[in-house]
PDB file of all heavy atoms in Angstrom:
ATOM      1  N   SER A  16      97.348  83.270  91.979  1.00 96.00           N
ATOM      2  CA  SER A  16      98.226  82.464  92.802  1.00 96.00           C
ATOM      3  C   SER A  16      97.363  81.859  93.924  1.00 96.00           C
ATOM      4  O   SER A  16      96.241  82.344  94.175  1.00 96.00           O
ATOM      5  CB  SER A  16      99.418  83.288  93.352  1.00 96.00           C
ATOM      6  OG  SER A  16      98.860  84.288  94.266  1.00 96.00           O
ATOM      7  N   TYR A  17      97.855  80.877  94.525  1.00 96.00           N
ATOM      8  CA  TYR A  17      97.042  80.121  95.426  1.00 96.00           C
ATOM      9  C   TYR A  17      97.727  79.834  96.757  1.00 96.00           C
ATOM     10  O   TYR A  17      98.930  79.647  96.759  1.00 96.00           O
ATOM     11  CB  TYR A  17      96.588  78.766  94.854  1.00 96.00           C
ATOM     12  CG  TYR A  17      95.823  78.854  93.554  1.00 96.00           C
ATOM     13  CD1 TYR A  17      96.385  78.885  92.356  1.00 96.00           C
ATOM     14  CD2 TYR A  17      94.403  78.998  93.655  1.00 96.00           C
ATOM     15  CE1 TYR A  17      95.640  78.983  91.198  1.00 96.00           C
ATOM     16  CE2 TYR A  17      93.639  79.092  92.548  1.00 96.00           C
ATOM     17  CZ  TYR A  17      94.268  79.093  91.276  1.00 96.00           C
ATOM     18  OH  TYR A  17      93.513  79.229  90.156  1.00 96.00           O
ATOM     19  N   ARG A  18      97.009  79.779  97.876  1.00 96.00           N
ATOM     20  CA  ARG A  18      97.484  79.322  99.180  1.00 96.00           C
ATOM     21  C   ARG A  18      96.986  77.972  99.371  1.00 96.00           C
ATOM     22  O   ARG A  18      95.779  77.739  99.153  1.00 96.00           O
ATOM     23  CB  ARG A  18      97.047  80.274 100.232  1.00 96.00           C
ATOM     24  CG  ARG A  18      97.774  81.679 100.194  1.00 96.00           C
ATOM     25  CD  ARG A  18      97.690  82.458 101.445  1.00 96.00           C
ATOM     26  NE  ARG A  18      98.389  83.645 101.220  1.00 96.00           N
ATOM     27  CZ  ARG A  18      97.975  84.786 101.622  1.00 96.00           C
ATOM     28  NH1 ARG A  18      96.807  84.910 102.253  1.00 96.00           N
ATOM     29  NH2 ARG A  18      98.690  85.914 101.461  1.00 96.00           N
ATOM     30  N   LEU A  19      97.842  77.125  99.925  1.00 97.00           N
ATOM     31  CA  LEU A  19      97.414  75.801 100.335  1.00 97.00           C
ATOM     32  C   LEU A  19      96.906  75.902 101.764  1.00 97.00           C
ATOM     33  O   LEU A  19      97.692  76.359 102.626  1.00 97.00           O
ATOM     34  CB  LEU A  19      98.535  74.788 100.242  1.00 97.00           C
ATOM     35  CG  LEU A  19      98.300  73.378 100.647  1.00 97.00           C
ATOM     36  CD1 LEU A  19      97.204  72.809  99.695  1.00 97.00           C
ATOM     37  CD2 LEU A  19      99.540  72.584 100.541  1.00 97.00           C
ATOM     38  N   VAL A  20      95.651  75.569 101.960  1.00 97.00           N
ATOM     39  CA  VAL A  20      95.004  75.843 103.228  1.00 97.00           C
ATOM     40  C   VAL A  20      94.272  74.562 103.728  1.00 97.00           C
ATOM     41  O   VAL A  20      93.922  73.682 102.938  1.00 97.00           O
ATOM     42  CB  VAL A  20      94.058  77.023 103.289  1.00 97.00           C
ATOM     43  CG1 VAL A  20      94.759  78.307 102.968  1.00 97.00           C
ATOM     44  CG2 VAL A  20      92.949  76.771 102.245  1.00 97.00           C
ATOM     45  N   VAL A  21      94.036  74.555 105.098  1.00 97.00           N
ATOM     46  CA  VAL A  21      93.180  73.500 105.639  1.00 97.00           C
ATOM     47  C   VAL A  21      91.862  74.147 105.952  1.00 97.00           C
ATOM     48  O   VAL A  21      91.806  75.193 106.684  1.00 97.00           O
ATOM     49  CB  VAL A  21      93.811  72.949 106.982  1.00 97.00           C
ATOM     50  CG1 VAL A  21      92.916  71.947 107.528  1.00 97.00           C
ATOM     51  CG2 VAL A  21      95.208  72.381 106.705  1.00 97.00           C
ATOM     52  N   MET A  22      90.790  73.624 105.440  1.00 96.00           N
ATOM     53  CA  MET A  22      89.422  74.171 105.618  1.00 96.00           C
ATOM     54  C   MET A  22      88.404  73.085 105.862  1.00 96.00           C
ATOM     55  O   MET A  22      88.664  71.988 105.419  1.00 96.00           O
ATOM     56  CB  MET A  22      89.064  74.991 104.405  1.00 96.00           C
ATOM     57  CG  MET A  22      89.722  76.255 104.133  1.00 96.00           C
ATOM     58  SD  MET A  22      88.957  76.990 102.639  1.00 96.00           S
ATOM     59  CE  MET A  22      89.227  78.665 102.912  1.00 96.00           C
ATOM     60  N   GLU A  23      87.280  73.468 106.375  1.00 95.00           N
ATOM     61  CA  GLU A  23      86.113  72.619 106.352  1.00 95.00           C
ATOM     62  C   GLU A  23      85.603  72.525 104.937  1.00 95.00           C
ATOM     63  O   GLU A  23      85.707  73.415 104.178  1.00 95.00           O
ATOM     64  CB  GLU A  23      84.963  73.244 107.254  1.00 95.00           C
ATOM     65  CG  GLU A  23      85.167  73.078 108.723  1.00 95.00           C
ATOM     66  CD  GLU A  23      84.993  71.652 109.188  1.00 95.00           C
ATOM     67  OE1 GLU A  23      84.180  70.926 108.612  1.00 95.00           O
ATOM     68  OE2 GLU A  23      85.749  71.234 110.133  1.00 95.00           O
ATOM     69  N   ASN A  24      85.043  71.387 104.636  1.00 93.00           N
ATOM     70  CA  ASN A  24      84.680  71.182 103.183  1.00 93.00           C
ATOM     71  C   ASN A  24      83.480  71.973 102.804  1.00 93.00           C
ATOM     72  O   ASN A  24      83.102  72.221 101.655  1.00 93.00           O
ATOM     73  CB  ASN A  24      84.326  69.711 102.849  1.00 93.00           C
ATOM     74  CG  ASN A  24      83.250  69.078 103.732  1.00 93.00           C
ATOM     75  OD1 ASN A  24      82.903  69.594 104.705  1.00 93.00           O
ATOM     76  ND2 ASN A  24      82.686  68.011 103.189  1.00 93.00           N
ATOM     77  N   THR A  25      82.658  72.532 103.835  1.00 93.00           N
ATOM     78  CA  THR A  25      81.470  73.309 103.546  1.00 93.00           C
ATOM     79  C   THR A  25      81.849  74.825 103.397  1.00 93.00           C
ATOM     80  O   THR A  25      80.921  75.627 103.071  1.00 93.00           O
ATOM     81  CB  THR A  25      80.462  73.169 104.641  1.00 93.00           C
ATOM     82  OG1 THR A  25      81.039  73.486 105.888  1.00 93.00           O
ATOM     83  CG2 THR A  25      79.924  71.717 104.673  1.00 93.00           C
ATOM     84  N   THR A  26      83.057  75.218 103.784  1.00 91.00           N
ATOM     85  CA  THR A  26      83.425  76.640 103.596  1.00 91.00           C
ATOM     86  C   THR A  26      83.683  77.019 102.150  1.00 91.00           C
ATOM     87  O   THR A  26      84.114  76.231 101.353  1.00 91.00           O
ATOM     88  CB  THR A  26      84.753  76.854 104.399  1.00 91.00           C
ATOM     89  OG1 THR A  26      84.636  76.306 105.729  1.00 91.00           O
ATOM     90  CG2 THR A  26      85.126  78.275 104.415  1.00 91.00           C
ATOM     91  N   ARG A  27      83.321  78.291 101.817  1.00 92.00           N
ATOM     92  CA  ARG A  27      83.502  78.786 100.461  1.00 92.00           C
ATOM     93  C   ARG A  27      85.026  78.796 100.166  1.00 92.00           C
ATOM     94  O   ARG A  27      85.788  78.809 100.959  1.00 92.00           O
ATOM     95  CB  ARG A  27      82.847  80.081 100.275  1.00 92.00           C
ATOM     96  CG  ARG A  27      83.312  81.202 101.181  1.00 92.00           C
ATOM     97  CD  ARG A  27      82.313  82.367 101.205  1.00 92.00           C
ATOM     98  NE  ARG A  27      82.605  83.200 102.301  1.00 92.00           N
ATOM     99  CZ  ARG A  27      83.314  84.380 102.255  1.00 92.00           C
ATOM    100  NH1 ARG A  27      83.736  84.747 101.036  1.00 92.00           N
ATOM    101  NH2 ARG A  27      83.621  85.059 103.262  1.00 92.00           N
ATOM    102  N   ARG A  28      85.280  78.820  98.786  1.00 89.00           N
ATOM    103  CA  ARG A  28      86.662  78.705  98.304  1.00 89.00           C
ATOM    104  C   ARG A  28      87.576  79.745  98.960  1.00 89.00           C
ATOM    105  O   ARG A  28      88.732  79.377  99.295  1.00 89.00           O
ATOM    106  CB  ARG A  28      86.682  78.958  96.791  1.00 89.00           C
ATOM    107  CG  ARG A  28      88.063  78.779  96.244  1.00 89.00           C
ATOM    108  CD  ARG A  28      88.138  79.201  94.837  1.00 89.00           C
ATOM    109  NE  ARG A  28      87.948  80.610  94.785  1.00 89.00           N
ATOM    110  CZ  ARG A  28      87.909  81.346  93.558  1.00 89.00           C
ATOM    111  NH1 ARG A  28      87.943  80.684  92.451  1.00 89.00           N
ATOM    112  NH2 ARG A  28      87.745  82.615  93.582  1.00 89.00           N
ATOM    113  N   ASP A  29      87.231  80.955  99.045  1.00 87.00           N
ATOM    114  CA  ASP A  29      88.047  81.972  99.595  1.00 87.00           C
ATOM    115  C   ASP A  29      87.714  82.386 101.080  1.00 87.00           C
ATOM    116  O   ASP A  29      88.050  83.494 101.516  1.00 87.00           O
ATOM    117  CB  ASP A  29      87.995  83.261  98.721  1.00 87.00           C
ATOM    118  CG  ASP A  29      88.542  82.974  97.283  1.00 87.00           C
ATOM    119  OD1 ASP A  29      89.337  81.999  97.179  1.00 87.00           O
ATOM    120  OD2 ASP A  29      88.176  83.582  96.336  1.00 87.00           O
ATOM    121  N   GLY A  30      87.124  81.453 101.739  1.00 89.00           N
ATOM    122  CA  GLY A  30      86.661  81.759 103.138  1.00 89.00           C
ATOM    123  C   GLY A  30      87.850  81.592 104.094  1.00 89.00           C
ATOM    124  O   GLY A  30      89.049  81.480 103.704  1.00 89.00           O
ATOM    125  N   ARG A  31      87.504  81.732 105.331  1.00 93.00           N
ATOM    126  CA  ARG A  31      88.532  81.672 106.431  1.00 93.00           C
ATOM    127  C   ARG A  31      89.007  80.367 106.596  1.00 93.00           C
ATOM    128  O   ARG A  31      88.335  79.333 106.928  1.00 93.00           O
ATOM    129  CB  ARG A  31      88.009  82.162 107.746  1.00 93.00           C
ATOM    130  CG  ARG A  31      88.997  82.103 108.866  1.00 93.00           C
ATOM    131  CD  ARG A  31      88.510  82.720 110.007  1.00 93.00           C
ATOM    132  NE  ARG A  31      88.545  84.232 109.855  1.00 93.00           N
ATOM    133  CZ  ARG A  31      88.464  85.099 110.783  1.00 93.00           C
ATOM    134  NH1 ARG A  31      88.089  84.790 111.919  1.00 93.00           N
ATOM    135  NH2 ARG A  31      88.512  86.393 110.497  1.00 93.00           N
TER     136      ARG A  31
END
Side-chain angles (χ1 to χ4, degrees):
S16 63
Y17 298 92
R18 289 198 178 136
L19 181 62
V20 295
V21 179
M22 289 183 152
E23 282 290 326
N24 65 339
T25 57
T26 307
R27 58 195 165 102
R28 180 192 69 185
D29 296 335
R31 176 172 286 191

